[in-house]
Amino acid sequence: MSRSTSLRRNVLELQQCRVSPAGCAVQNTLMLVLMMYPCRAGLDNYTELDRVNGWLIERKQAADGALSCRAFLPLGASWFSGNIHLDVSGELVVPAGRSFEGDQQVLEAVREALDRCGSDFLYLPL
């Protein structure tokens, strides 16, 4: 018997729960858990999308499908606005008590990543 035939037979046995009652129970439990908790990554919460020269690019999707992206330097502040970040228009915001000594090329790379983030659902890091 060829290896692919053997593998196909094993997959069919798993699908039909012929392997063991315990294996079948695990498979059924896993399917139940997956169906009970739908994936909500990026829906109404920001999730990490990319890192560009130390800057964190995050995105969320609203219930209506609108994309929202943001970029900031994760410096340990408990709120997004406490970190050095780019505002909605792409301008640098440096909170009181912080300083920024980055160069313009880094900011342009971050702005480009933000533009790509908001332009399409598919984001491919460069």
Side-chain angles (χ1 to χ4, degrees):
M1 178 176 357
S2 72
R3 187 171 192 195
S4 64
T5 304
S6 176
L7 180 61
R8 192 174 309 129
R9 191 190 75 209
N10 290 340
V11 169
L12 287 173
E13 286 177 357
L14 279 174
Q15 289 175 342
Q16 297 171 2
C17 292
R18 287 191 211 160
V19 176
S20 71
C24 189
V26 169
Q27 180 182 6
N28 289 339
T29 302
L30 180 62
M31 290 302 293
L32 182 63
V33 168
L34 289 175
M35 290 171 24
M36 287 177 53
Y37 298 103
C39 179
R40 295 181 183 247
L43 290 176
D44 295 326
N45 293 314
Y46 281 99
T47 56
E48 183 175 333
L49 193 62
D50 194 7
R51 289 189 180 260
V52 177
N53 296 319
W55 286 73
L56 185 59
I57 309 295
E58 294 182 330
R59 175 167 67 185
K60 74 175 179 178
Q61 181 180 358
D64 65 357
L67 297 176
S68 176
C69 301
R70 67 183 185 184
F72 65 98
L73 279 172
L75 299 173
S78 58
W79 294 94
F80 169 75
S81 60
N83 289 308
I84 296 172
H85 61 278
L86 297 180
D87 66 10
V88 176
S89 61
E91 296 300 316
L92 182 67
V93 177
V94 181
R98 304 236 186 231
S99 62
F100 179 72
E101 299 175 5
D103 63 359
Q104 201 61 26
Q105 288 180 336
V106 169
L107 289 176
E108 287 305 315
V110 172
R111 287 182 183 114
E112 180 184 319
L114 276 178
D115 288 342
R116 288 186 298 113
C117 171
S119 67
D120 196 357
F121 286 104
L122 181 62
Y123 176 90
L124 300 174
L126 296 179

